[in-house]
PDB file of all heavy atoms in Angstrom:
ATOM      1  N   LEU J 496     -22.909  -2.619   2.510  1.00 95.00           N
ATOM      2  CA  LEU J 496     -23.907  -3.212   3.399  1.00 95.00           C
ATOM      3  C   LEU J 496     -25.023  -3.832   2.571  1.00 95.00           C
ATOM      4  O   LEU J 496     -25.227  -3.460   1.411  1.00 95.00           O
ATOM      5  CB  LEU J 496     -24.490  -2.148   4.327  1.00 95.00           C
ATOM      6  CG  LEU J 496     -23.517  -1.327   5.170  1.00 95.00           C
ATOM      7  CD1 LEU J 496     -24.297  -0.420   6.125  1.00 95.00           C
ATOM      8  CD2 LEU J 496     -22.569  -2.219   5.939  1.00 95.00           C
ATOM      9  N   PRO J 497     -25.759  -4.779   3.126  1.00 94.00           N
ATOM     10  CA  PRO J 497     -26.903  -5.343   2.393  1.00 94.00           C
ATOM     11  C   PRO J 497     -27.920  -4.262   2.062  1.00 94.00           C
ATOM     12  O   PRO J 497     -27.960  -3.203   2.688  1.00 94.00           O
ATOM     13  CB  PRO J 497     -27.472  -6.369   3.385  1.00 94.00           C
ATOM     14  CG  PRO J 497     -26.347  -6.703   4.293  1.00 94.00           C
ATOM     15  CD  PRO J 497     -25.547  -5.433   4.420  1.00 94.00           C
ATOM     16  N   LYS J 498     -28.727  -4.519   1.047  1.00 92.00           N
ATOM     17  CA  LYS J 498     -29.751  -3.548   0.645  1.00 92.00           C
ATOM     18  C   LYS J 498     -30.643  -3.205   1.835  1.00 92.00           C
ATOM     19  O   LYS J 498     -31.116  -4.091   2.554  1.00 92.00           O
ATOM     20  CB  LYS J 498     -30.602  -4.121  -0.488  1.00 92.00           C
ATOM     21  CG  LYS J 498     -29.866  -4.245  -1.806  1.00 92.00           C
ATOM     22  CD  LYS J 498     -30.790  -4.728  -2.903  1.00 92.00           C
ATOM     23  CE  LYS J 498     -30.066  -4.821  -4.246  1.00 92.00           C
ATOM     24  NZ  LYS J 498     -30.953  -5.312  -5.325  1.00 92.00           N
ATOM     25  N   GLY J 499     -30.853  -1.937   2.041  1.00 89.00           N
ATOM     26  CA  GLY J 499     -31.719  -1.473   3.118  1.00 89.00           C
ATOM     27  C   GLY J 499     -31.038  -1.341   4.466  1.00 89.00           C
ATOM     28  O   GLY J 499     -31.601  -0.741   5.383  1.00 89.00           O
ATOM     29  N   ALA J 500     -29.863  -1.893   4.608  1.00 91.00           N
ATOM     30  CA  ALA J 500     -29.160  -1.825   5.895  1.00 91.00           C
ATOM     31  C   ALA J 500     -28.560  -0.444   6.102  1.00 91.00           C
ATOM     32  O   ALA J 500     -28.095   0.197   5.157  1.00 91.00           O
ATOM     33  CB  ALA J 500     -28.076  -2.890   5.958  1.00 91.00           C
ATOM     34  N   LYS J 501     -28.574   0.014   7.329  1.00 89.00           N
ATOM     35  CA  LYS J 501     -27.984   1.291   7.686  1.00 89.00           C
ATOM     36  C   LYS J 501     -27.055   1.086   8.878  1.00 89.00           C
ATOM     37  O   LYS J 501     -27.237   0.177   9.671  1.00 89.00           O
ATOM     38  CB  LYS J 501     -29.070   2.317   8.018  1.00 89.00           C
ATOM     39  CG  LYS J 501     -29.991   2.654   6.843  1.00 89.00           C
ATOM     40  CD  LYS J 501     -31.014   3.697   7.238  1.00 89.00           C
ATOM     41  CE  LYS J 501     -31.923   4.050   6.057  1.00 89.00           C
ATOM     42  NZ  LYS J 501     -32.926   5.080   6.440  1.00 89.00           N
ATOM     43  N   ALA J 502     -26.065   1.947   8.975  1.00 91.00           N
ATOM     44  CA  ALA J 502     -25.115   1.810  10.076  1.00 91.00           C
ATOM     45  C   ALA J 502     -24.528   3.165  10.424  1.00 91.00           C
ATOM     46  O   ALA J 502     -24.236   3.968   9.536  1.00 91.00           O
ATOM     47  CB  ALA J 502     -23.996   0.840   9.705  1.00 91.00           C
ATOM     48  N   GLU J 503     -24.387   3.405  11.718  1.00 92.00           N
ATOM     49  CA  GLU J 503     -23.740   4.626  12.188  1.00 92.00           C
ATOM     50  C   GLU J 503     -22.340   4.338  12.706  1.00 92.00           C
ATOM     51  O   GLU J 503     -21.567   5.270  12.913  1.00 92.00           O
ATOM     52  CB  GLU J 503     -24.580   5.277  13.288  1.00 92.00           C
ATOM     53  CG  GLU J 503     -25.954   5.742  12.820  1.00 92.00           C
ATOM     54  CD  GLU J 503     -26.736   6.391  13.931  1.00 92.00           C
ATOM     55  OE1 GLU J 503     -26.255   6.338  15.096  1.00 92.00           O
ATOM     56  OE2 GLU J 503     -27.815   6.953  13.661  1.00 92.00           O
ATOM     57  N   SER J 504     -22.021   3.067  12.910  1.00 94.00           N
ATOM     58  CA  SER J 504     -20.703   2.709  13.434  1.00 94.00           C
ATOM     59  C   SER J 504     -20.176   1.486  12.705  1.00 94.00           C
ATOM     60  O   SER J 504     -20.923   0.757  12.056  1.00 94.00           O
ATOM     61  CB  SER J 504     -20.774   2.427  14.943  1.00 94.00           C
ATOM     62  OG  SER J 504     -21.616   1.313  15.202  1.00 94.00           O
ATOM     63  N   ALA J 505     -18.872   1.281  12.808  1.00 95.00           N
ATOM     64  CA  ALA J 505     -18.234   0.136  12.160  1.00 95.00           C
ATOM     65  C   ALA J 505     -17.103  -0.379  13.038  1.00 95.00           C
ATOM     66  O   ALA J 505     -16.516   0.360  13.829  1.00 95.00           O
ATOM     67  CB  ALA J 505     -17.708   0.516  10.780  1.00 95.00           C
ATOM     68  N   THR J 506     -16.808  -1.660  12.882  1.00 95.00           N
ATOM     69  CA  THR J 506     -15.690  -2.301  13.565  1.00 95.00           C
ATOM     70  C   THR J 506     -14.841  -2.988  12.506  1.00 95.00           C
ATOM     71  O   THR J 506     -15.357  -3.739  11.678  1.00 95.00           O
ATOM     72  CB  THR J 506     -16.184  -3.345  14.588  1.00 95.00           C
ATOM     73  OG1 THR J 506     -16.984  -2.686  15.568  1.00 95.00           O
ATOM     74  CG2 THR J 506     -15.015  -4.032  15.271  1.00 95.00           C
ATOM     75  N   VAL J 507     -13.544  -2.703  12.499  1.00 93.00           N
ATOM     76  CA  VAL J 507     -12.630  -3.243  11.493  1.00 93.00           C
ATOM     77  C   VAL J 507     -11.605  -4.126  12.203  1.00 93.00           C
ATOM     78  O   VAL J 507     -10.900  -3.672  13.099  1.00 93.00           O
ATOM     79  CB  VAL J 507     -11.910  -2.124  10.723  1.00 93.00           C
ATOM     80  CG1 VAL J 507     -10.976  -2.720   9.662  1.00 93.00           C
ATOM     81  CG2 VAL J 507     -12.933  -1.195  10.065  1.00 93.00           C
ATOM     82  N   GLU J 508     -11.544  -5.367  11.770  1.00 90.00           N
ATOM     83  CA  GLU J 508     -10.647  -6.357  12.381  1.00 90.00           C
ATOM     84  C   GLU J 508      -9.587  -6.771  11.366  1.00 90.00           C
ATOM     85  O   GLU J 508      -9.906  -7.158  10.242  1.00 90.00           O
ATOM     86  CB  GLU J 508     -11.459  -7.578  12.823  1.00 90.00           C
ATOM     87  CG  GLU J 508     -10.639  -8.700  13.401  1.00 90.00           C
ATOM     88  CD  GLU J 508     -11.504  -9.904  13.723  1.00 90.00           C
ATOM     89  OE1 GLU J 508     -11.847 -10.665  12.787  1.00 90.00           O
ATOM     90  OE2 GLU J 508     -11.874 -10.075  14.896  1.00 90.00           O
ATOM     91  N   GLU J 509      -8.323  -6.653  11.742  1.00 84.00           N
ATOM     92  CA  GLU J 509      -7.213  -7.081  10.892  1.00 84.00           C
ATOM     93  C   GLU J 509      -6.799  -8.467  11.363  1.00 84.00           C
ATOM     94  O   GLU J 509      -6.536  -8.672  12.538  1.00 84.00           O
ATOM     95  CB  GLU J 509      -6.056  -6.088  11.025  1.00 84.00           C
ATOM     96  CG  GLU J 509      -5.206  -5.969   9.781  1.00 84.00           C
ATOM     97  CD  GLU J 509      -4.479  -7.252   9.457  1.00 84.00           C
ATOM     98  OE1 GLU J 509      -4.097  -7.975  10.392  1.00 84.00           O
ATOM     99  OE2 GLU J 509      -4.302  -7.539   8.271  1.00 84.00           O
ATOM    100  N   THR J 510      -6.744  -9.429  10.464  1.00 77.00           N
ATOM    101  CA  THR J 510      -6.584 -10.817  10.885  1.00 77.00           C
ATOM    102  C   THR J 510      -5.241 -11.429  10.556  1.00 77.00           C
ATOM    103  O   THR J 510      -4.991 -12.573  10.916  1.00 77.00           O
ATOM    104  CB  THR J 510      -7.684 -11.689  10.253  1.00 77.00           C
ATOM    105  OG1 THR J 510      -7.557 -11.630   8.831  1.00 77.00           O
ATOM    106  CG2 THR J 510      -9.056 -11.205  10.653  1.00 77.00           C
ATOM    107  N   ASP J 511      -4.345 -10.691   9.876  1.00 68.00           N
ATOM    108  CA  ASP J 511      -3.099 -11.315   9.425  1.00 68.00           C
ATOM    109  C   ASP J 511      -1.831 -10.751  10.041  1.00 68.00           C
ATOM    110  O   ASP J 511      -0.800 -11.395  10.016  1.00 68.00           O
ATOM    111  CB  ASP J 511      -2.966 -11.207   7.903  1.00 68.00           C
ATOM    112  CG  ASP J 511      -3.883 -12.192   7.195  1.00 68.00           C
ATOM    113  OD1 ASP J 511      -4.429 -13.072   7.865  1.00 68.00           O
ATOM    114  OD2 ASP J 511      -4.052 -12.053   5.987  1.00 68.00           O
ATOM    115  N   LEU J 512      -1.868  -9.530  10.521  1.00 57.00           N
ATOM    116  CA  LEU J 512      -0.647  -8.881  10.995  1.00 57.00           C
ATOM    117  C   LEU J 512      -0.317  -9.322  12.418  1.00 57.00           C
ATOM    118  O   LEU J 512      -1.063  -9.059  13.351  1.00 57.00           O
ATOM    119  CB  LEU J 512      -0.803  -7.362  10.964  1.00 57.00           C
ATOM    120  CG  LEU J 512      -0.642  -6.718   9.596  1.00 57.00           C
ATOM    121  CD1 LEU J 512      -0.958  -5.250   9.692  1.00 57.00           C
ATOM    122  CD2 LEU J 512       0.765  -6.905   9.078  1.00 57.00           C
ATOM    123  N   GLY J 513       0.830  -9.979  12.601  1.00 53.00           N
ATOM    124  CA  GLY J 513       1.260 -10.361  13.930  1.00 53.00           C
ATOM    125  C   GLY J 513       0.440 -11.491  14.514  1.00 53.00           C
ATOM    126  O   GLY J 513      -0.442 -12.068  13.888  1.00 53.00           O
TER     127      GLY J 513
END
Side-chain angles (χ1 to χ4, degrees):
L496 305 186
K498 290 184 178 179
K501 297 181 179 180
E503 296 181 352
S504 63
T506 299
V507 181
E508 177 184 79
E509 210 295 326
T510 61
D511 285 348
L512 281 174

